[in-house]
Amino acid sequence: MARSPRIAVIGSANTDLTTFADTFPRAGETIFGNSFDLGFGGKGANQAVAARLCGAEVMMIAKVGADLFGEATVKNFASFGIDTTHVRIVEGVSSGVAPIFVEPNGQNRIIVVKGANDTLKPADVDAAADALRGADTIVLQFEIPLETIYYAVQFARKHKIRCIVNPAPALPANLEHLFAADYFIPNETEAEVITGMPVHSVDDAKKCAGELLSRGFSKVVLTLGARGSLVASSQGMELMAPFAVNPKDTTGAGDAFIGSFSVFLGEGIAEKEALSRANLYAALSTQRVGTQKSFPARPEFKAEWARRGGKP
Ligand code: RIB
């Protein structure tokens, strides 16, 4: 395509405080961890950075606190060349933070304290409306108020902007307000919480995706970690195979998937190939520690895609 895709992320920004340990304490117990990492995170911010690293023009609509983390977050966006015109600093509330605990196999547990993210309201979407109308794709997650997400989905529909909703972390939501999204992309846990159906296998994932379609979504992608991703629509379902890697830290892999997929699709790459590329981009992100700092830049991704012949 002639120009880079324009991606707008309306979402969260957190500071990630990640502890790596062999085990985790029981109530009343103190144990020693192995190492610690401080980094920029938040599902929205991570998706914005992934999209930027993949080559898109990216604008972020977000709120941070008037504290050290907030100021550093704005600088971090700017260092990637992400448009921060609509990232506001708010008084009287902390920035979003996320204590994260990672096991030796790379599996993570996260507690998010939303702080300023919870003050991002529909009025903030309106304040950014002129800029948003120029976007090709609006990307949303669940770390900001649901009313803002519902509003942004309707905004995208009204202005014929592609809309991707990543319901992360899992929350009971009024799905009717989300049906207008072009893509609904939960992981297994999120899909389970939303449908009440277990997702322990690819067959379970197919049943769950079918349920989401029957409820009213037009296109569902279930991200399945090491099993790849499943795309489902009225045209049928297809499992997009995973790429083999040795994961060190899976935190942010879902965000890497969403951010990169929005760009590949925005570049006009056919949907299935865009999903397969996003599978690889997400897999590569698990080979390094942290979230944003684990995401590969486009040349690294391109070389890896070529080295593997574009095949899992
Ligand atoms: O998806 C990973 C992200 O979840 C982390 O960066 C953390 O901030 C939480 O939002």
Side-chain angles (χ1 to χ4, degrees):
M1 66 183 282
R3 62 168 175 78
S4 306
R6 293 189 194 131
I7 311 290
V9 178
I10 304 175
S12 58
N14 296 331
T15 297
D16 291 347
L17 305 112
T18 307
T19 297
F20 297 83
D22 294 332
T23 58
F24 291 96
R26 290 165 295 169
E29 187 186 22
T30 302
I31 61 166
F32 293 114
N34 298 332
S35 59
F36 174 77
D37 184 74
L38 181 66
F40 295 102
K43 296 181 193 301
N46 295 344
Q47 292 171 20
V49 167
R52 180 69 188 142
L53 287 171
C54 286
E57 286 177 34
V58 180
M59 111 184 47
M60 185 79 202
I61 289 85
K63 292 260 178 85
V64 296
D67 52 23
L68 287 177
F69 289 157
E71 202 178 307
T73 295
V74 177
K75 281 194 188 139
N76 179 57
F77 282 135
S79 75
F80 282 103
I82 292 172
D83 183 347
T84 59
T85 309
H86 297 283
V87 180
R88 302 265 182 253
I89 298 182
V90 287
E91 300 287 339
V93 61
S94 76
S95 291
V97 292
I100 300 176
F101 305 93
V102 181
E103 298 172 19
N105 66 3
Q107 193 53 256
N108 63 70
R109 292 179 168 77
I110 305 178
I111 300 175
V112 171
V113 180
K114 292 204 278 177
N117 295 308
D118 228 8
T119 69
L120 193 73
K121 294 293 168 104
D124 298 301
V125 176
D126 286 338
D130 283 347
L132 283 171
R133 278 192 286 269
D136 305 313
T137 305
I138 290 178
V139 182
L140 299 155
Q141 328 70 34
F142 273 16
E143 285 182 334
I144 57 171
L146 284 170
E147 61 170 318
T148 311
I149 297 159
Y150 300 157
Y151 189 78
V153 169
Q154 302 316 318
F155 179 96
R157 160 164 262 191
K158 183 171 167 204
H159 296 286
K160 300 188 170 48
I161 300 166
R162 178 182 288 140
C163 182
I164 297 176
V165 175
N166 169 224
L171 290 176
N174 188 340
L175 299 184
E176 281 179 18
H177 293 298
L178 304 174
F179 290 156
D182 298 276
Y183 288 90
F184 187 67
I185 313 188
N187 68 13
E188 302 104 310
T189 317
E190 291 142 12
E192 281 189 14
V193 170
I194 291 163
T195 61
M197 298 169 70
V199 184
H200 300 313
S201 64
V202 172
D203 275 351
D204 288 348
K206 287 183 176 165
K207 286 181 198 136
C208 188
E211 171 67 19
L212 287 165
L213 292 177
S214 74
R215 291 206 192 169
F217 287 105
S218 53
K219 195 158 284 181
V220 173
V221 177
L222 250 76
T223 56
L224 303 172
R227 284 187 284 237
S229 56
L230 177 78
V231 56
S233 71
S234 58
Q235 313 296 305
M237 294 191 195
E238 185 167 341
L239 181 71
M240 307 309 298
F243 288 82
V245 287
N246 289 319
K248 275 201 185 112
D249 177 7
T250 59
T251 316
D255 301 328
F257 181 92
I258 304 272
S260 63
F261 176 60
S262 70
V263 179
F264 299 137
L265 206 58
E267 286 174 346
I269 294 173
E271 184 184 77
K272 287 195 181 135
E273 184 176 330
L275 287 166
S276 189
R277 285 176 180 249
N279 274 356
L280 176 61
Y281 190 84
L284 295 177
S285 80
T286 68
Q287 298 185 131
R288 287 194 283 255
V289 162
T291 51
Q292 294 172 24
K293 59 180 139 190
S294 72
F295 297 168
R298 186 70 179 247
E300 182 186 344
F301 169 78
K302 199 176 161 193
E304 195 59 28
W305 178 259
R307 192 180 73 77
R308 294 177 188 240
K311 302 233 164 21

